[in-house]
Amino acid sequence: MDVLATALPALGDAFAMILQPHVLGYLVLGVLMGLCIGVFPGLGGIAGLSLLLPFMFGMEPLTGLALMVGMVAVVPTSDTFSSVLMGIPGSSASQATVLDGFPMAKKGQAARALSAAFSSSLFGGLLGAAFLSVFILIARPIVLMFQTPELLMITIFGLSMVGILAGRVAVKGIAAAGLGVLIGTIGQGSSAGALRMSTFDTPYLMDGLKLVIVGLSIFAIPEIVALLRQDKAISDRAAIGGGWLDGVKDWWANIWLSVRCSLIGVTVGVIPGLGGSVVDWIAYGHTIQTAKDKSQFGSGDVRGVIGPESSNNAKEGGGLVPTLLFGIPGSGSMAIFISGIALLGSGNIEVGPSMLKNNLDITYSIVWLLALANVVGTLVCIAASGPIARLTNIRFALLAPFLFMIIAFAAFQSRQSIMDLVALFGIGLLGILLRRFDWSRPAFLIGFVLASPAERYTNQAYQIAASRFRRSFEEGIDYVFSPIVIILIIITVISVVVGIKNAKSILAEGDVKDGKKRAPLIFLLAITAYVALAYFNASLIPDYARMDRVFPVFVATVTLICLAILLVQMRYSPDTNALFADREAQDAEINTHGLWSTLAWFAALLAGTAVFGFIIALAVFLVTFIRYRAEKSWVYAGLYAASGIAFICAMAATLNRDFPPGLLQEFVRLPWPLS
């Protein structure tokens, strides 16, 4: 009762505070800015909030919070546009939406997919806000119960989703996840700082590969190349039509799925560091697990949109729990959010227990702002859907260079190095081959995302457990097998069993027909060679840093076993086996351009950037691509290039970013943006 006596007046005061016209105006402004940021792939909430930070100095606390919360709330909704309409994940939290949302757009069901996504996002966002309001006073003991073993089991549970997303050949999914984990371990080890796969005179790899580059490479590049080779529009039907109400009906028909996935989003969002990177995959895996008919997943099942979209908006409410209660950011965007709060007013607002004690009304105003921003954001997204969705009717040869320009710019913001573009192109080629040979890209990405936390929690749990066991066996067992760990183990085992049982009926990458033995076998041998190299490289780590050696060696060993099983199966299986799936043979009739000739355009842009810098190379790329590949006039190509250069320069100036320089910039002093 004491809790209610404290909370209810604060809730009422907060509601009155946010209804002021100028506060609502800043909220709408934040929503509109979030919409603009979320539409462009690879930017997301971190870039958007970073853009706002300079304006937070001395700003009135309530208006500053309205501006930031408006942006935070709408980005997970607006990033659905690129995921559904273009097959490009708008952010790390919208990657699972691509698997079924994009096939729906290609079938002419973009409006249905978007309305189902927006309905799910609105519901998830409101549920997240409700969760935050209820748990803002009672969540502290729950969060504090999660120690390293519990965090490790949450991570393992995320990896268990591989069993659901592996596709028709479960071993290929496990191997794909293992490959993702090994690529995720590139760089310095989390324990002693030993280098893995970065000892070959490549300083760029010392800090590992960034998620924005890997996510765009694995999903965006393959889809851009695939559509460009077909040389037609994304959808050959009306982009909008009458599907809006159908999407809302789909959401209502699957309301309990939306409830469950929203709760998943809230729960995972509470755990710092996991949230946006993995929550949509866990929700997608749960969606497939609980579905009776699994045959349409990966080829346009609306439930594959509803599940992830419900969870990725709900996670924002969950992510604010550790952020506001403990000052521990639940995600990268929450870290920027904390920085913004510190700059507001006179700088006397501090997240954590003191905020709950001294500024409970402001704390609850964040809850109300989050709920209201989700409503406003959904309405704005629906209003803007018409013109944005019509992009699917434009010939893709006109969209591809613009999209690749945006992706390259987003990738370059990772380290401000031309090697960002090399990594984008190299991993993009891997993504193209994974897609071609029906290797689960979601499993690969889950492995990559969870590599760092899995290794960190494993090392920490091992060291702490060893100390506890030295004291007494009982103390060690109590630490390792807490009630929460036992519950998570049971859930994980069930997840794996169900995944393996239903593997043959799950089309993680759609229906891919079999081809010849040779190409899939060569790709498998190439993957095996890399994993063997990763094993050898990790085994060279000296004993004083053995904790940095154990994890990659273990993962590489398991992956090599899976690859060996695949090699044996390929040796004795006929050409018609799903092992030899090859999308190249399947799409031969609809592809009007070759793979390597298409990739040559982007390789030329990369080479031109290395020599002349990004802007000069981009200008030449846009003009020649539109003139010769899209077969437009020189005037059209010139106007297209000028518009593209103006747009990317305006974006860079707004975000205070530079472009990749080339050799030319080392010898000639050029003005911005050519410098």
Side-chain angles (χ1 to χ4, degrees):
M1 294 300 295
D2 291 339
V3 171
L4 289 177
T6 304
L8 291 179
L11 272 170
D13 292 342
F15 187 67
M17 290 165 63
I18 70 165
L19 288 182
Q20 301 175 74
H22 72 285
V23 175
L24 295 177
Y26 275 99
L27 180 71
V28 173
L29 178 60
V31 166
L32 293 174
M33 294 178 68
L35 172 63
C36 296
I37 292 293
V39 164
F40 295 110
L43 294 181
I46 296 178
L49 286 173
S50 299
L51 174 63
L52 290 182
L53 280 184
F55 303 99
M56 293 294 107
F57 284 103
M59 196 173 184
E60 181 185 347
L62 206 55
T63 54
L65 286 171
L67 193 62
M68 290 195 294
V69 172
M71 177 172 286
V72 167
V74 79
V75 167
T77 303
S78 59
D79 64 14
T80 306
F81 282 117
S82 60
S83 297
V84 170
L85 299 179
M86 303 171 190
I88 302 172
S91 68
S92 61
S94 65
Q95 290 160 345
T97 306
V98 173
L99 299 184
D100 286 289
F102 187 49
M104 290 181 70
K106 290 194 286 187
K107 294 177 182 178
Q109 299 177 4
R112 180 186 174 194
L114 288 172
S115 60
F118 294 153
S119 301
S120 304
S121 294
L122 174 59
F123 180 78
L126 293 176
L127 190 64
F131 171 88
L132 179 60
S133 65
V134 172
F135 278 82
I136 208 154
L137 294 178
I138 63 175
R140 179 170 186 146
I142 297 175
V143 175
L144 290 178
M145 291 173 64
F146 279 79
Q147 301 181 57
T148 303
E150 287 79 12
L151 294 172
L152 176 60
M153 278 310 306
I154 285 284
T155 306
I156 293 174
F157 173 65
L159 283 170
S160 74
M161 290 296 105
V162 170
I164 309 300
L165 301 169
R168 293 172 294 178
V169 184
V171 179
K172 284 175 71 174
I174 297 172
L179 178 64
V181 171
L182 289 174
I183 291 180
T185 61
I186 290 176
Q188 293 182 324
S190 61
S191 179
L195 298 178
R196 282 88 60 97
M197 297 304 290
S198 52
T199 57
F200 303 107
D201 196 26
T202 49
Y204 176 81
L205 295 178
M206 288 183 63
D207 292 329
L209 295 167
K210 300 300 182 182
L211 177 59
V212 63
I213 291 179
V214 176
L216 290 173
S217 300
I218 292 296
F219 281 98
I221 300 297
E223 299 302 337
I224 288 177
V225 170
L227 287 170
L228 192 55
R229 293 181 62 192
Q230 296 173 19
D231 200 17
K232 61 179 184 180
I234 294 174
S235 173
D236 55 1
R237 306 179 186 182
I240 292 298
W244 287 105
L245 188 58
D246 292 337
V248 178
K249 290 179 179 178
D250 288 328
W251 168 76
W252 182 251
N254 294 279
I255 182 65
W256 292 113
L257 170 65
S258 186
V259 170
R260 294 194 304 272
C261 290
S262 296
L263 292 175
I264 288 174
V266 165
T267 304
V268 177
V270 169
I271 308 301
L274 288 182
S277 301
V278 73
V279 65
D280 57 326
W281 293 119
I282 294 179
Y284 189 75
H286 171 76
T287 302
I288 298 178
Q289 263 185 333
T290 55
K292 293 182 180 179
D293 179 14
K294 302 174 173 61
S295 60
Q296 296 302 310
F297 284 105
S299 58
D301 194 313
V302 72
R303 293 171 295 179
V305 174
I306 292 171
E309 289 299 315
S310 297
S311 66
N312 67 19
N313 259 45
K315 82 173 188 307
E316 299 300 335
L320 280 168
V321 169
T323 302
L324 296 179
L325 265 65
F326 314 126
I328 300 173
S331 64
S333 59
M334 287 298 104
I336 307 297
F337 187 78
I338 289 176
S339 302
I341 290 178
L343 300 175
L344 294 174
S346 58
N348 57 354
I349 300 178
E350 183 180 354
V351 294
S354 64
M355 188 171 184
L356 298 181
K357 180 180 179 180
N358 304 322
N359 304 106
L360 190 58
D361 53 348
I362 291 181
T363 304
Y364 271 118
S365 70
I366 295 175
V367 177
W368 285 114
L369 287 168
L370 182 64
L372 188 58
N374 274 283
V375 176
V376 175
T378 300
L379 294 176
V380 170
C381 285
I382 290 174
S385 294
I388 295 176
R390 290 190 181 94
L391 292 173
T392 60
N393 295 129
I394 300 175
R395 184 183 167 205
F396 198 73
L398 300 177
L399 285 177
F402 180 82
L403 293 175
F404 194 83
M405 174 184 71
I406 295 294
I407 289 172
F409 176 75
F412 178 67
Q413 305 318 309
S414 173
R415 305 258 184 88
Q416 298 277 297
S417 167
I418 193 173
M419 289 299 295
D420 291 326
L421 301 185
V422 175
L424 180 74
F425 189 84
I427 302 176
L429 179 58
L430 173 62
I432 290 170
L433 296 176
L434 290 173
R435 179 183 183 273
R436 171 179 174 177
F437 298 116
D438 196 29
W439 286 63
S440 175
R441 289 179 291 168
F444 173 91
L445 197 60
I446 285 181
F448 178 84
V449 167
L450 294 180
S452 179
E455 181 178 16
R456 184 172 65 254
Y457 296 145
T458 299
N459 291 342
Q460 292 174 355
Y462 172 79
Q463 293 170 355
I464 297 174
S467 175
R468 299 286 181 92
F469 274 112
R470 281 195 293 269
R471 296 180 200 166
S472 71
F473 180 79
E474 292 77 10
E475 185 177 347
I477 287 294
D478 289 342
Y479 175 75
V480 174
F481 294 104
S482 68
I484 296 178
V485 169
I486 293 173
I487 293 172
L488 290 172
I489 289 174
I490 294 172
I491 295 174
T492 301
V493 170
I494 294 173
S495 172
V496 171
V497 171
V498 172
I500 294 175
K501 180 181 178 181
N502 296 298
K504 292 184 178 179
S505 62
I506 298 172
L507 303 177
E509 292 279 7
D511 186 14
V512 183
K513 296 181 180 179
D514 52 273
K516 302 292 184 180
K517 275 190 174 185
R518 181 180 178 184
L521 181 59
I522 292 175
F523 180 65
L524 176 61
L525 290 173
I527 295 295
T528 304
Y530 175 82
V531 175
L533 179 62
Y535 176 91
F536 174 75
N537 181 265
S539 67
L540 296 178
I541 296 175
D543 288 339
Y544 68 81
R546 63 182 180 278
M547 292 305 297
D548 289 338
R549 178 181 64 200
V550 171
F551 184 78
V553 165
F554 172 77
V555 173
T557 301
V558 173
T559 307
L560 284 172
I561 292 173
C562 293
L563 294 172
I565 293 173
L566 288 173
L567 285 170
V568 173
Q569 289 178 333
M570 283 188 173
R571 173 66 178 82
Y572 295 102
S573 299
D575 289 357
T576 55
N577 193 287
L579 287 166
F580 303 106
D582 190 346
R583 201 181 297 266
E584 195 70 19
Q586 175 177 303
D587 295 343
E589 295 182 0
I590 60 176
N591 287 333
T592 58
H593 297 279
L595 172 62
W596 301 113
S597 61
T598 301
L599 290 178
W601 283 99
F602 303 113
L605 174 60
L606 179 62
T609 300
V611 177
F612 302 106
F614 183 70
I615 289 296
I616 296 176
L618 179 64
V620 175
F621 168 78
L622 292 176
V623 169
T624 54
F625 189 97
I626 296 300
R627 175 65 184 92
Y628 293 106
R629 184 61 180 264
E631 298 178 339
K632 294 292 184 178
S633 67
W634 283 109
V635 174
Y636 188 103
L639 292 174
Y640 186 105
S643 301
I645 296 296
F647 175 84
I648 204 69
C649 288
M651 180 176 288
T654 303
L655 296 174
N656 194 25
R657 302 293 186 180
D658 293 319
F659 298 104
L663 292 175
L664 176 64
Q665 281 74 14
E666 295 184 9
F667 299 101
V668 181
R669 186 177 181 85
L670 298 172
W672 190 91
L674 303 178
S675 58

